[in-house]
Amino acid sequence: MQTGRVQHATNPVDGVRIAYRTVGDGEPLVLVHGTALSHAIWRGFGYVAALRDRYRLILVDLRGHGRSDKPHDEDAYAMDLLSGDVLAVLDHLELPSAHVLGYSLGGRVALALAVGAPERLESLIVGGGSSLPQAGAFDRLFFPGCIDVLERDGMEAFLGQWNARRAWPIDAGTRAAFLANDAEALAAYMRRSGVEPGVDDDVLRRIAVPTLLFVGSEDAERIGDTRRVAALIPDASLTILPGFDHSTAVAASTEVLAAVEPFLAAV
C-alpha cells in the first residue's frame, strides 16, 4: 500500500508547480476536483477509502487550488495549461497512461486530455462537466456578479451570498475548501474560464477513449450539456444521479461509485 506525502510536479511550459498525492496500489486513477476545491475532497467524500485497495489514486490539486502554485494572471489558467498540469504529474510519476476522473472543472480538464493527449488516458470519466464555452457559467452556478464579489469582498462574502441562494446549505467540507483559496487567484481562473472556447462537436465525435459521464438530475446548469456530450462521444455511457444538483453530486460517492466502479472494471 502506497500512501505518499504531498509531492510537486512542474509544468514545463510555464514552471507552475502542481501538488499531488498518491494513495493505494493498482492501476493508476487520477482524480481531478472542481472549482475552489482541492484533492482533499476525494478523501472527505469517501472515494479514497472505497478505491484505494484496487487503484493507485493520484490526487491532484489544480493550479490556483490547494497546495499548487496560485498565479494571479488570468492567462495562466488557459485550459491547455491546466490539462498540461495533469500530464506533468503523470510524467513526474513516470506513468505512460492512467484512468482519469474529473468533476466540474476537473471534468473539463479530463475532456481536454481526451482531446489533446488521448494516448495518456486508459479511460475518461466526466462528472458535471461541459464541452461548451463557459461565458457567464459562474454567475449561473453561484450567483450573478460572483467574481466581482470574490475580488472586492473576499471569500467569506462570496460564500455568504452563494449560501443564501442555495437549496441546501454549504457543507462544512466544501466551506473549508473554499476558504483555503487565494481569492485573487480564483477570480483570475474564473475570468479566464469565461473566455475558453469549448470543444467542437466534430472533435467530440472523434474521441475513442472509453467514456463515462455522470450528472445530478437537478444540475440545471450541466445536465443538458452532459447529455449532449454523451450523445456525441461514440459508445459513451451516461448516468443520471436522481435528486442531486451540481454542488451535491460529487459528494454522493455511493451513487457515483455505483456507476464508476463497474465501468472501470469493464475497461
Side-chain angles (χ1 to χ4, degrees), residues 22-167:
T22 62
V23 182
D25 282 317
E27 293 183 54
L29 169 58
V30 181
L31 300 178
V32 191
H33 61 82
T35 294
L37 301 174
S38 75
H39 80 265
I41 66 163
W42 304 113
R43 189 181 299 275
F45 292 150
Y47 292 83
V48 170
L51 295 170
R52 64 186 297 167
D53 290 340
R54 283 160 293 161
Y55 297 96
R56 183 184 185 187
L57 303 177
I58 303 163
L59 314 176
V60 177
D61 282 343
L62 292 171
R63 61 175 59 203
H65 298 74
R67 298 188 186 184
S68 292
D69 287 351
K70 299 175 177 62
H72 291 173
D73 177 11
E74 293 178 23
D75 289 341
Y77 296 93
M79 185 53 61
D80 61 340
L81 291 173
L82 271 70
S83 61
D85 292 343
V86 177
L87 295 177
V89 170
L90 293 180
D91 289 344
H92 196 245
L93 290 168
E94 299 182 341
L95 291 172
S97 62
H99 304 281
V100 177
L101 185 163
Y103 189 78
S104 192
L105 165 61
R108 178 66 184 85
V109 172
L111 192 59
L113 287 167
V115 171
E119 72 282 359
R120 305 299 297 270
L121 269 64
E122 295 296 324
S123 70
L124 168 68
I125 304 173
V126 176
S130 177
S131 65
L132 297 175
Q134 293 300 296
F138 291 115
D139 284 353
R140 298 189 295 271
L141 283 172
F142 297 113
F143 57 89
C146 65
I147 304 176
D148 291 336
V149 170
L150 184 60
E151 283 185 321
R152 182 183 66 243
D153 302 322
M155 188 60 73
E156 283 282 8
F158 175 96
L159 289 171
Q161 292 201 37
W162 181 32
N163 198 53
R165 290 164 170 80
R166 286 167 52 94

Side-chain angles (χ1 to χ4, degrees), residues 168-193:
W168 295 276
I170 300 171
D171 66 89
T174 299
R175 179 178 178 81
F178 270 66
L179 286 171
N181 281 284
D182 178 319
E184 189 174 348
L186 193 62
Y189 145 67
M190 288 180 171
R191 293 202 186 282
R192 173 64 200 207
S193 179

Side-chain angles (χ1 to χ4, degrees), residues 108 111-112 114-115 124 130-132 198-209 211 213 225 228-236:
R108 178 66 184 85
L111 192 59
V115 171
L124 168 68
S130 177
S131 65
L132 297 175
V199 182
D200 290 342
D201 290 358
D202 286 344
V203 175
L204 294 174
R205 292 187 183 100
R206 292 196 295 270
I207 291 177
V209 178
T211 301
L213 298 106
D225 292 358
R228 182 174 169 279
V229 172
L232 289 168
I233 296 177
D235 301 318

